[in-house]
DNA sequence: CGACTCACTTTCATTTTGAAAGTTACTTAA
DNA sequence: TTAAGTAACTTTCAAAATGAAAGTGAGTCG
């Protein structure tokens, strides 16, 4: 968490949330950690959208600062790291689901079912 | 809508949604149109977070392009404009609500009730 | 030794942001 | 009949963020 150093721009919950998650990449990192078993730097980098390495690095740091994920060396020689959602991070699942549903209904993207771990493909008649 | 010109970077519904809404301002504009009766350029500008005029102008254009809002001259001499959510734009309410709930629970922001039009203030013990 | 992998960091050109001032159309007060 | 004011933008420009690519360091493998 980041209680002391940070000053929010407003008291609005949406504005506050956007200070942490309001960009084109952060929620995709959380999506991959939440649902797609991608817990390593390289795996996160290689997702469909191809986040640049420097941005991934920055975003992971920010998410750690806010206590939404944690980093763990799960192997020595060679040292390998794993990122995982904290309980606070996991609590974002309803947000991801809601955004996904909207994108599926209005932009024709896929629909992932976290229970089965499978996705339905796009509604083909939209952008 | 913007079906023809635009190519999405991936088939993921979340990634697609973030191409339209993934920044620090767009959802705040939608919040103000959705719940706070701010339908004029000036009113939107004067919200707590103070979006710069050039960004507000750009965001309003983008939201129009995607068919989420529409612009209407509701008065001549002097000409005055009003922005309003389309039905597609209204369909983002569950997304806004979910983000708001998360921000309230985890970042201590306010909690607005769209039914009563009133907000509960921040949980005072968090950032 | 040389090649390869992972997990980054650095570099740098391009793009976006944000603060401020400027513009246009029109109204109202002096 | 200017003068000031308001709304809705647009323009300007410096600073910050983004993104493509190359570089780094620790370690392994053949």
């Amino acid at each position: 968490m980041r209680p002391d150093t940070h000053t929010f721009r407003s008291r609005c919950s949406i504005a506050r949330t956007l200070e942490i998650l309001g960009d084109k990449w952060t929620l995709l990192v959380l999506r991959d950690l939440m649902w797609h078993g991608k817990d390593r730097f390289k795996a996160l980098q290689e997702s469909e959208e191809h986040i640049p390495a420097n941005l991934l690095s920055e975003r992971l740091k920010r998410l750690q600062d806010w206590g939404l994920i944690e980093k763990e060396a799960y192997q020595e020689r060679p040292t390998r790291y794993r990122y995982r959602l904290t309980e606070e991070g996991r609590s974002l699942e309803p947000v991801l689901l809601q955004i996904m549903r909207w994108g599926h209904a209005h932009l024709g993207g896929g629909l992932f079912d976290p229970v089965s771990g499978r996705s339905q493909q796009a509604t083909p008649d939209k952008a």
Side-chain angles (χ1 to χ4, degrees), chain A:
Chain A
M1 234 161 299
R2 233 186 191 180
D4 35 337
T5 48
H6 189 82
T7 306
F8 287 112
R9 62 181 161 165
S10 96
R11 298 166 74 187
C12 168
S13 291
I14 296 172
R16 289 182 174 206
T17 303
L18 292 177
E19 288 185 46
I20 304 171
L21 307 175
D23 63 70
K24 293 207 174 15
W25 296 109
T26 305
L27 287 175
L28 300 184
V29 173
L30 292 170
R31 169 202 66 185
D32 288 342
L33 293 169
M34 185 93 57
W35 295 332
H36 303 309
K38 304 192 180 175
D39 57 354
R40 303 222 337 227
F41 194 94
K42 193 170 182 271
L44 292 166
Q45 249 191 103
E46 286 169 352
S47 268
E48 212 187 337
E49 296 86 6
H50 296 291
I51 181 169
N54 56 342
L55 295 189
L56 176 56
S57 179
E58 252 188 1
R59 298 300 193 269
L60 289 170
K61 257 166 219 152
R62 188 157 79 210
L63 290 170
Q64 284 176 79
D65 284 350
W66 283 102
L68 302 178
I69 67 174
E70 44 194 26
K71 179 185 185 175
E72 169 199 15
Y74 71 98
Q75 171 190 304
E76 300 293 333
R77 11 218 78 239
T79 312
R80 291 291 179 250
Y81 300 99
R82 158 194 299 155
Y83 295 93
R84 49 203 330 179
L85 294 165
T86 60
E87 203 178 324
E88 273 212 272
R90 291 231 155 268
S91 73
L92 279 162
E93 191 170 32
V95 171
L96 284 178
L97 282 169
Q98 204 65 60
I99 292 171
M100 181 186 67
R101 281 186 207 113
W102 190 87
H104 176 68
H106 297 271
L107 305 173
L111 191 68
F112 176 80
D113 176 13
V115 175
S116 68
R118 304 174 144 277
S119 2
Q120 313 267 325
Q121 212 28 251
T123 55
D125 57 303
K126 286 243 176 176

